[in-house]
Amino acid sequence: MKATFRLPNTGKGWISLGLIIFVILLGSWPVIPLLNNETIILGMPILMTWSVIIIFLTTFIMWFINKIGGIK
């Protein structure tokens, strides 16, 4: 099976790809150690609060990409 990688052809596609990469970076290693401390926000540790924010942010980004028709 041949694997291929397609780059976006439009400006909306590039914006969509940038938003997806941005969300992935927010949930990856360089950000997580910054939030891994004992601070409590809304009754939850800050890392758990950050995880909930990432879930809502991902949902919003996917809705936004669908709305602008960025990736087809």
Side-chain angles (χ1 to χ4, degrees):
M1 185 165 108
K2 183 180 177 183
T4 60
F5 182 77
R6 292 180 43 200
L7 292 175
N9 294 329
T10 63
K12 291 178 184 177
W14 282 104
I15 290 171
S16 301
L17 181 64
L19 288 172
I20 291 169
I21 291 172
F22 178 70
V23 169
I24 290 171
L25 289 177
L26 285 178
S28 64
W29 174 77
V31 177
I32 298 301
L34 297 172
L35 302 172
N36 194 11
N37 55 38
E38 298 175 357
T39 305
I40 301 291
I41 296 176
L42 302 172
M44 298 183 291
I46 191 168
L47 190 58
M48 182 181 268
T49 306
W50 182 249
S51 299
V52 171
I53 290 171
I54 290 291
I55 291 169
F56 284 112
L57 186 63
T58 302
T59 303
F60 174 75
I61 294 294
M62 292 296 119
W63 172 82
F64 181 72
I65 290 172
N66 188 34
K67 192 76 171 172
I68 66 171
I71 296 177
K72 296 185 179 190

